[in-house]
Amino acid sequence: MSTITTFADFGFSTEIYEAVKAKGYEKPSPIQEQAIPILLSTNSNLVGKAQTGTGKTAAFSLPILEKLAVNNKKVKAIVLTPTRELAMQVAEEMVSLKGSKRLRIQTVYGGQSMGKQLDALQRGVDIVIGTPGRIKDHINRGTLKIDDLDFFVLDEADEMLNMGFLEEIEEILEYTNDEKQMLLFSATMPKKILKLISSYMSDYKLVEVESSQQTTHLVDQIHYQLKESDRFEALCRIIDCSKEFYGIVFCNTKREVDEINARLNERGIESEALHGDILQAQRENIMKKLKKHKCNVLVATDVAARGIDVNDLTHVVNFQLPQDPESYIHRIGRTGRAGKEGIAITFVSKNQTHDLMFIQRISNTKIRKGELPSVQDVITVKKQIIKDKITNIIEHGGYSHYEELAQEILEGNDPEVALAAILKQAFKDQLNIEKYTEFVVPQYDERHTGARRDHSKGKSNTSRIFIALGKKDNNGPRDIVDFIVQETNLKAGLIDEVRVFDAFSFATIPTEEAETLIMVHKKLAKGGKPLVTIAKDRDDERSGGGTRSGGFRRDGGGSSRGGGGSSRSGGFGDRNRESSGSYERKRFKR
Ligand code: ADP
Ligand code: MG
């Protein structure tokens, strides 16, 4: 398997191979590299776990398209997807990947004319792609028979279950023949999915791709600390100051999506809103506009944005912090795709610092702190844009009908004054510095920059923390400092009095970070012993901490080089098991 590096190595038929080439895919993605050979050479069931945007669609579509015969009397493959968009996207992908092979592919989802679907089904189709609800309708009406399938695919299975489709899926499965290849693809593997798998897929092969390696390496993740009331202004400024902005702005509620979208439009920033209440026809229009770059800003909720298949987004903005680390990973996975770099921005207010740290910790990524563009930055960018526009007009001509007027205006005025007036008319107040206000960065920030270093040395501003990592895990003072830096983003210089014992260590750090660190680890431990706690008193240290060392479970720390990654691939569900293992993983990774 590891020898597969190009699509040519799979041994596809000419039709399919040509289609892949025409599609412009140069290299199989990791999930494709793993899944395709298995599906081509065996009849095993298969479970595939990989993040959004990793090419799961082609991973199952290519083998299906390759293996299916043509001119079938009955439906040979069925693909269930959570939403109509996804059904359409899978269909689109399949149609393009089948090339000249005469396979008939039909989508079936609510909101599309029933008549059209019926006609197609009657004429005969080989592959049906649709949402569970509508597929079940057709089965019940007797207009769709699925008792001679070669393939049964559950795509984005986690999302289907989140949307409450389990019952429909089970009912649909009742109608299928036993000897079929069953494939399940999902970005996450919560318990519900594992249960579904064990009930319906007695034997299966598992392929999975590490999420961290997929989502984050090309994404520059930045967070901005700001006042609640500055969120909107900050968003506008980021859009204004980006050379190119083609992105999704995530909000947590429909109401907020509508509000932000309306305010952006008021500001002259073209955007569209997408959430669960947007009608299907409108959704399709919005997606078209977005894909054609007729609008470059999409304001959306998580659910509405799921499955949106736009490849070259430059930005993802978390206008609101996502509810959990998993959504964070999903959201930022929408950018930094197809080998392009992306920027993921997260707005955080003061009371969300703990949550941000938690997300960063769980998703094992670095969300660096950024500084919002200043008023001067905006003015500089806007000036350049105006200059470019004018230069562009001068280069392209077409202004001769204004030349006479220009002469007349110049006769009575200074050229500079005349030009400034015209610019004011054309660009309104865009360069008026008074129209912008500087952000007031919450003052707790300063400590990160070291500005309050002296204060932080004072007793009341620092705290002593206890960390259940010590010499026997091969940690020295340097490792403990590294650990704290990774977990808090503190500068190493702000970490004092590090003492390492056999099974644990102590350090003194600014109280603010100490609180965050302790909160995060309390959350991580979920009732168990946290890796980091407040140090009880100095006697512990003097006595070598003997009283506490027995209390900490320290299993697994040593073997984490190999096991580090896989503890995550099981999903975030087991995040609480062994927090020290994660630290080890981080350390080895660097
Ligand atoms: P997933 O289902 O894992 O979220 P998709 O199958 O929708 O991801 O693929 C994401 C995008 O990547 C799609 O636009 C798809 O056309 C593109 N893609 C898939 N495979 C490749 C490949 N091997 N090379 C380049 N782009 C690919
Ligand atoms: Mg998909």
Side-chain angles (χ1 to χ4, degrees), residues 392-413:
N392 190 36
I393 295 174
I394 294 175
E395 275 167 12
H396 288 86
Y399 46 81
S400 55
H401 49 286
Y402 276 121
E403 275 171 8
E404 200 183 313
L405 179 61
Q407 295 261 315
E408 283 174 30
I409 293 174
L410 280 176
E411 270 162 31
N413 298 292

Side-chain angles (χ1 to χ4, degrees), residues 188-202:
T188 62
M189 288 290 158
K191 282 218 179 70
K192 296 183 284 189
I193 300 273
L194 299 176
K195 233 178 110 191
L196 183 76
I197 293 172
S198 66
S199 321
Y200 293 94
M201 304 169 75
S202 50

Side-chain angles (χ1 to χ4, degrees), residues 71-134:
N71 296 324
N72 298 295
K73 295 236 157 41
K74 287 182 157 179
V75 173
K76 284 292 172 190
I78 187 155
V79 181
L80 297 185
T81 68
T83 65
R84 309 167 236 208
E85 254 84 47
L86 282 168
M88 284 165 17
Q89 278 169 25
V90 171
E92 232 172 77
E93 180 99 354
M94 278 201 165
V95 167
S96 59
L97 290 176
K98 82 180 176 65
S100 57
K101 188 163 177 181
R102 299 176 66 99
L103 287 167
R104 296 153 302 175
I105 297 167
Q106 178 63 38
T107 50
V108 165
Y109 50 80
Q112 185 193 45
S113 132
M114 197 76 178
K116 205 174 125 192
Q117 293 174 6
L118 284 175
D119 283 352
L121 291 174
Q122 247 151 30
R123 264 181 276 123
V125 297
D126 304 293
I127 303 171
V128 170
I129 302 157
T131 48
R134 184 56 78 92

